[in-house]
Amino acid sequence: MKILGTGSAIPRKVVTNDMLSEFLDTSDAWIVPRTGIHSRHVITDEQLEDLGTKAALNALEMSGLSVADIDYFICSNVVGEYVTPSLSCVIASKIGLTCPCVDINCACPGFIYALDIAESRYLAGKSKNILIVCAEEPTRMCDWSDRSTAVLFGDGAGAVVLGEGNNIKGVELHSQPDVQKIWEKRVLEKTPYISKEEENVPLQMRGREVFKFAVNASTRDVESLLSSLGMTKDDVNYYMVHQANMRIIEAIKQYLGERDEKFPTNIGDHGNSSSASCPILLDECNRKGLFKKGDVLVFSAFGAGLLSGVAVLEW
Ligand code: UT7
């Protein structure tokens, strides 16, 4: 497939590190060198589906396709206000899409998992034009009195429209299942038959272990996919790495032996927006005119699961 259009939408509210230090035992001096994050966009009175809808419409407008041309819609989302219907159905109802809609929950690498599903359907002859929306509100998953997680995340939505083409050169997905590294639990409705003890547990993360997983997974995934495609790092123009932590990105850069200019980032004013991070970065870079035809983009993302994925795309 080929990316025909990109879009994104972010909440209005900007929360700086200094604003966090008004109610958390933290500081700009701790957060910036540890994460590279200066501020993040946080959902207030917006609905996540409205951000997803806006990102989708922006991508559709750029693609030149109409809603009726889209024959499959994938939404990547960890959590939203609706349990059912799926977020893809909620967004579809707002934009008038009537094609099959599916949600995936693959946490931060959700965009790459969605690309894999899209490309597989295309190669199987089942779909021609596919919409992907990654819409996430991780700030609603954290305990805002927990400084070890609350400072890391931001909300938003990113979208792409894919159509006919031979520009997705390869996708590789990996899992290393481990529930204890990043997790959150919600209590479901009571029934007369439930006797077990249950409690809501906000997002928990073993930061250092996730950090190591992220760096190892990303460098392994990138080198493995490039090698199986018969490509080298010299062929790559840009690494579009999941914006989780600037130090993770720096470590990946160092292990790959690559140059700063190949790593566009927006973590400084977005924080970690889970699966929305890669498509938001893509849309921002695209709208700035960063990419030229023929450029090779490598997407790499990692997160809860633990899952990781990498995709090589020619622009
Ligand atoms: O999307 C993928 C999911 N997540 C990630 O990619 C996150 C991966 N991990 C990380 O980015 C880093 O591990 C963190 C940024 C989360 C933490 O950085 P760290 O250098 O690994 O710090 P740490 O957790 O080892 O904590 C060091 C100290 C601790 O204090 P003590 O025990 O040494 O006294 C923490 O309590 O820093 C303290 N600390 C903070 N201090 C001020 C933790 N968070 C904060 C904070 N402000 N926000």
Side-chain angles (χ1 to χ4, degrees):
M1 300 196 91
K2 178 183 168 63
I3 291 181
L4 304 176
T6 63
S8 61
I10 46 176
R12 282 181 302 276
K13 176 86 176 168
V14 174
V15 176
T16 63
N17 295 340
D18 286 341
M19 289 160 76
L20 293 178
S21 61
E22 286 167 15
F23 59 89
L24 270 179
D25 181 15
T26 190
S27 62
D28 190 62
W30 190 94
I31 299 170
V32 173
R34 287 280 204 320
T35 69
I37 301 167
H38 295 265
S39 61
R40 69 285 292 143
H41 294 262
V42 172
I43 274 202
T44 53
D45 55 348
E46 299 106 334
Q47 303 290 340
L48 185 63
E49 59 264 30
D50 292 333
L51 297 179
T53 299
K54 190 173 164 201
L57 291 174
N58 287 344
L60 271 166
E61 188 184 14
M62 188 189 286
S63 74
L65 298 186
S66 71
V67 166
D69 295 321
I70 300 295
D71 52 34
Y72 201 73
F73 176 25
I74 307 165
C75 194
S76 165
N77 168 253
V78 174
V79 69
E81 284 170 49
Y82 278 94
V83 173
T84 195
S86 63
L87 187 57
S88 51
C89 286
V90 176
I91 294 173
S93 74
K94 287 181 176 270
I95 60 181
L97 263 178
T98 53
C99 65
C101 298
V102 64
D103 275 22
I104 60 168
N105 178 347
C106 301
C108 303
F111 178 60
I112 296 172
Y113 275 71
L115 282 179
D116 184 63
I117 296 169
E119 177 73 353
S120 304
R121 285 191 64 87
Y122 177 74
L123 292 176
K126 289 182 168 180
S127 297
K128 213 166 99 179
N129 299 310
I130 297 181
L131 171 65
I132 296 174
V133 172
C134 302
E136 303 279 13
E137 46 185 338
T139 68
R140 302 297 305 276
M141 299 168 65
C142 299
D143 168 359
W144 277 68
S145 65
D146 174 6
R147 65 181 183 175
S148 71
T149 52
V151 305
L152 301 174
F153 296 96
D155 306 317
V160 297
V161 170
L162 295 150
E164 281 184 277
N166 182 26
N167 297 62
I168 298 183
K169 298 300 179 191
V171 182
E172 200 176 292
L173 307 174
H174 290 277
S175 78
Q176 194 177 301
D178 183 340
V179 176
Q180 300 304 317
K181 297 281 196 290
I182 314 177
W183 60 282
E184 181 190 356
K185 265 181 119 169
R186 281 188 296 177
V187 175
L188 304 181
E189 298 302 320
K190 271 276 175 227
T191 80
Y193 310 106
I194 294 293
S195 53
K196 59 193 171 189
E197 286 297 312
E198 295 181 306
E199 56 168 352
N200 281 310
V201 183
L203 189 74
Q204 306 291 308
M205 186 171 65
R206 293 192 185 158
R208 292 208 159 190
E209 292 168 57
V210 176
F211 192 108
K212 283 185 204 145
F213 162 75
V215 176
N216 289 336
S218 178
T219 49
R220 175 205 59 205
D221 293 358
V222 169
E223 287 181 338
S224 164
L225 182 57
L226 287 178
S227 145
S228 70
L229 293 172
M231 299 171 81
T232 71
K233 285 173 240 169
D234 290 341
D235 297 315
V236 178
N237 297 89
Y238 296 105
Y239 293 93
M240 310 293 287
V241 177
H242 169 44
Q243 304 290 294
N245 180 325
M246 197 61 205
R247 275 163 57 222
I248 293 178
I249 300 169
E250 293 292 346
I252 293 167
K253 198 187 300 177
Q254 206 179 333
Y255 278 112
L256 291 174
E258 280 288 24
R259 301 192 308 272
D260 281 357
E261 317 82 81
K262 288 192 178 184
F263 287 76
T265 61
N266 65 8
I267 176 115
D269 53 9
H270 285 275
N272 178 347
S273 56
S274 190
S275 73
S277 120
C278 281
I280 291 174
L281 179 67
L282 174 69
D283 184 50
E284 288 182 356
C285 293
N286 186 22
R287 286 176 194 269
K288 279 183 206 147
L290 185 68
F291 312 128
K292 55 184 192 314
K293 194 173 160 37
D295 277 351
V296 170
L297 277 53
V298 175
F299 289 87
S300 171
F302 33 78
L306 298 165
L307 296 177
S308 69
V310 60
V312 173
L313 255 108
E314 187 184 304
W315 197 248

